[in-house]
Amino acid sequence: MQTSLRPKHIWLDLGKGLLSPLASTKRTLKDLDGFFVDAQATENILKSGQDPIIYEVYESLQPQEDGHLNFGTTILHPGKIGKEFYMTKGHFHMKEASSEVYLGLRGEGLILLQSSTGNSECLRMSQGDLIYVPPRWGHRTVNVGAEELVFFFTYQADAGHDYESLKKEQGFSKLVIEEHGRVNVVDNPRFMTRI
Ligand code: M6P
Ligand code: ZN
């Protein structure tokens, strides 16, 4: 049976992307060790004693049951590891038949989408961009600008995050890198499709 909740009111600071009164979960480079293609660049930064915050997630979590929605904002900081722009880990949903919606609020970003059947897409994710992530599409956001990338998201509360499928394939089929001052979406040399 579905848990019955009282309605909630949360205030979204559109300028900063903060959801009051929630606290954020921070993901630092240490949490993303192995995700960026340039492992040496990651190692050098961590060895020097730095552990930069890559992104923060403000999330209103509901019971993990059919019928509820989780929602919140993500603040993806600007920066690069080697040539690769700061990005989220990226995931499929455990519950394959679940979807997600993103709304760009601030900054300049891209969203990489990858289907379980091997298709991939890269869409713009800036202010006003609404992205529908259909069931069975992995998704990762990338900050390609000089400012924070802030976006709103909502997805089924029982969807779950599946990071393992992407690890087995060595990430997404595409990487977003800077080359000669330009943003380029290139093939990931480590990528292997599922057998
Ligand atoms: C979005 C949502 C969250 C997710 C976050 C970070 O805000 O999809 O559910 O946790 O991005 O992405 P990831 O978990 O892939 O690092
Ligand atoms: Zn998701």
Side-chain angles (χ1 to χ4, degrees):
M1 215 180 60
Q2 203 186 312
T3 308
S4 163
L5 296 181
R6 302 284 302 170
K8 281 186 192 179
H9 173 273
I10 293 171
W11 184 68
L12 165 58
D13 181 334
L14 282 172
K16 299 197 181 106
L18 311 179
L19 279 191
S20 266
L22 303 182
S24 69
T25 302
K26 293 178 176 52
R27 294 268 176 261
T28 67
L29 184 57
K30 213 175 265 177
D31 299 314
L32 273 86
D33 198 1
F35 283 82
F36 291 97
V37 74
D38 189 342
Q40 191 62 54
T42 301
E43 199 186 317
N44 291 345
I45 297 168
L46 294 176
K47 265 192 176 163
S48 75
Q50 298 172 69
D51 186 18
I53 297 173
I54 309 293
Y55 57 96
E56 299 174 55
V57 181
Y58 289 85
E59 189 160 17
S60 174
L61 290 165
Q62 272 52 252
Q64 291 178 22
E65 297 167 3
D66 186 27
H68 290 288
L69 291 173
N70 289 341
F71 62 92
T73 52
T74 301
I75 300 177
L76 188 46
H77 293 270
K80 279 177 293 170
I81 302 297
K83 292 180 179 176
E84 201 174 7
F85 290 100
Y86 278 14
M87 61 192 186
T88 57
K89 287 182 177 180
H91 59 269
F92 282 95
H93 290 153
M94 296 279 205
K95 182 179 171 182
E96 292 192 344
S98 65
S99 51
E100 186 154 354
V101 168
Y102 285 89
L103 170 62
L105 299 176
R106 197 155 53 81
E108 233 184 299
L110 295 174
I111 178 165
L112 290 174
L113 297 143
Q114 185 161 306
S115 79
S116 49
T117 52
N119 294 314
S120 73
E121 290 213 28
C122 181
L123 303 174
R124 195 184 65 172
M125 253 272 303
S126 297
Q127 190 176 59
D129 289 315
L130 265 168
I131 311 292
Y132 175 57
V133 181
R136 287 172 281 275
W137 281 78
H139 38 288
R140 160 181 286 167
T141 44
V142 185
N143 186 348
V144 297
E147 310 291 328
E148 289 175 337
L149 174 70
V150 184
F151 58 90
F152 174 86
F153 62 87
T154 183
Y155 63 98
Q156 280 110 309
D158 60 348
H161 292 70
D162 165 18
Y163 298 101
E164 291 305 311
S165 302
L166 286 160
K167 264 192 203 157
K168 279 182 211 136
E169 295 166 357
Q170 301 298 321
F172 281 72
S173 61
K174 302 284 179 190
L175 304 176
V176 187
I177 59 171
E178 186 176 66
E179 275 177 323
H180 314 297
R182 294 182 51 168
V183 177
N184 281 337
V185 181
V186 299
D187 287 337
N188 177 359
R190 297 194 305 183
F191 181 72
M192 291 177 291
T193 45
R194 284 184 210 187
I195 300 162

